[in-house]
Amino acid sequence: MIIQAGNGCYLTQSRDVTYKDRRFEKSVSVASISEALMWKEIPESDKAQMEAENSIYESEEVDYNYLKKVSTLRETISSRINESFFTVEQALEMKAYFPLWTDLVGQEANIGFRFQYGELLYEVIKPHTFSEEWKPDSGTESLYKVVQNEASGSIDDPITWKYNMELFEGLYYIDKDILYLCIRNSGMGMAYENLADLVSGGFVELVNDSETEEPTEPQPTEPDGSLENPYPYVKGETSIEKDKYYLENGIIYLAIQNGGVLVYDLAQVPSIAQKVE
């Protein structure tokens, strides 16, 4: 049985194989239906794409022509990367592939569009046209926000402050090893290098060290014979002293006279120790 590729198409293996082992055929002779299922039809454009990818990923030599191809590929990625969804973590990992702000001047900026400026990745939060006058670090907090991995914002997992970040009430932020609590939403990115500068504006407040200290377990105190902290009584070992309190089997007794070391339970010597009701 012969299977034939349609016009402008090729037959190639349906399973994943290396490009070196991949075949492109116009017709294939097969012995059964199961063997026929081992082939699929692809358009010439897919074949051309596979060939182009192979020339980049499996190049035998890193020469000028190869680098030109890589450069062209990067330009294509940069121009199209915002067409796909990326989580914050993924976007930051692939930050180098996002377009540069300097290459965007004059273009439309749509909400959610991400780009590089300086060492940071930014995201458009208000539609506008990229302009030389509206750089991300020049009072344009209403246009852009910094893209960054967000901590939970709890007191144990505060968010690291960065220039042009937006503040959210109830979350904790840390800047230069100092912890702050946001007490008012900023509603936009704040163009401040130091979070301390926003204390006077009523956006954040310092968190006292006492608030971050872990609670300590109360330390047990040594028995002193008081009603609150009686001596534990051990028959044949504990010496009974007048006006001191003793604990035996969960019951507190008050010694009404000196008794020394006794070989009796306290309940058996009411003339020496009396149960506290």
Side-chain angles (χ1 to χ4, degrees):
M1 180 171 63
I2 297 177
I3 53 176
Q4 186 80 29
N7 291 333
C9 296
Y10 285 88
L11 296 172
T12 190
Q13 295 98 318
S14 56
R15 69 183 189 280
D16 288 334
V17 296
T18 64
Y19 184 83
K20 181 180 179 181
D21 296 325
R22 184 163 293 284
R23 294 168 56 189
F24 299 100
E25 307 288 349
K26 283 296 185 176
S27 63
V28 177
S29 177
V30 296
S32 63
I33 296 297
S34 60
E35 190 174 334
L37 293 175
M38 297 173 63
W39 295 86
K40 66 179 179 179
E41 186 178 80
I42 62 171
E44 289 182 348
S45 58
D46 284 4
K47 176 178 180 290
Q49 182 176 347
M50 291 180 183
E51 291 172 340
E53 290 174 351
N54 176 71
S55 69
I56 293 175
Y57 299 128
E58 300 184 23
S59 177
E60 296 180 357
E61 185 177 358
V62 180
D63 56 11
Y64 176 79
N65 290 329
Y66 172 76
L67 294 178
K68 285 289 288 184
K69 293 176 183 178
V70 172
S71 178
T72 300
L73 178 60
R74 286 186 65 102
E75 291 174 3
T76 301
I77 293 173
S78 177
S79 65
R80 299 187 58 185
I81 193 169
N82 276 288
E83 298 174 8
S84 301
F85 171 78
F86 289 86
T87 64
V88 169
E89 292 77 11
Q90 291 171 338
L92 290 173
E93 182 182 350
M94 300 298 170
K95 182 179 70 173
Y97 293 100
F98 282 86
L100 300 175
W101 179 85
T102 51
D103 296 332
L104 298 171
V105 174
Q107 299 181 28
E108 292 299 313
N110 298 313
I111 293 177
F113 188 91
R114 291 166 173 168
F115 62 92
Q116 298 181 70
Y117 183 80
E119 298 296 321
L120 300 176
L121 185 66
Y122 286 86
E123 183 176 314
V124 175
I125 58 176
K126 183 179 180 181
H128 65 285
T129 300
F130 286 110
S131 171
E132 285 281 2
E133 293 75 29
W134 295 339
K135 295 180 180 179
D137 62 353
S138 60
T140 51
E141 301 82 19
S142 63
L143 300 180
Y144 318 113
K145 70 175 181 180
V146 176
V147 177
Q148 66 168 9
N149 278 316
E150 295 288 356
S152 67
S154 67
I155 194 169
D156 299 317
D157 187 27
I159 299 168
T160 300
W161 170 253
K162 289 188 179 181
Y163 180 89
N164 208 33
M165 283 186 66
E166 183 175 355
L167 291 167
F168 296 93
E169 183 178 351
L171 297 184
Y172 289 86
Y173 296 80
I174 191 167
D175 183 35
K176 299 175 177 63
D177 295 325
I178 300 175
L179 189 63
Y180 299 84
L181 172 63
C182 177
I183 55 177
R184 178 158 64 101
N185 290 329
S186 65
M188 65 175 66
M190 305 298 286
Y192 288 82
E193 294 289 349
N194 302 308
L195 196 53
D197 295 335
L198 293 172
V199 173
S200 60
F203 289 99
V204 296
E205 64 181 14
L206 285 168
V207 177
N208 296 327
D209 290 340
S210 59
E211 296 182 42
T212 61
E213 292 177 355
E214 294 186 3
T216 56
E217 293 292 332
Q219 298 299 317
T221 57
E222 290 291 330
D224 57 10
S226 65
L227 178 62
E228 294 78 15
N229 197 15
Y231 291 123
Y233 176 76
V234 180
K235 183 170 58 176
E237 295 182 12
T238 305
S239 180
I240 302 300
E241 182 182 348
K242 183 181 179 182
D243 295 330
K244 296 296 183 180
Y245 291 86
Y246 297 84
L247 179 66
E248 182 186 36
N249 298 326
I251 301 173
I252 297 177
Y253 296 85
L254 172 63
I256 57 177
Q257 62 174 303
N258 293 328
V261 177
L262 304 174
V263 293
Y264 303 99
D265 294 336
L266 292 181
Q268 296 176 302
V269 288
S271 62
I272 296 176
Q274 296 185 347
K275 180 179 177 181
V276 177
E277 299 295 342

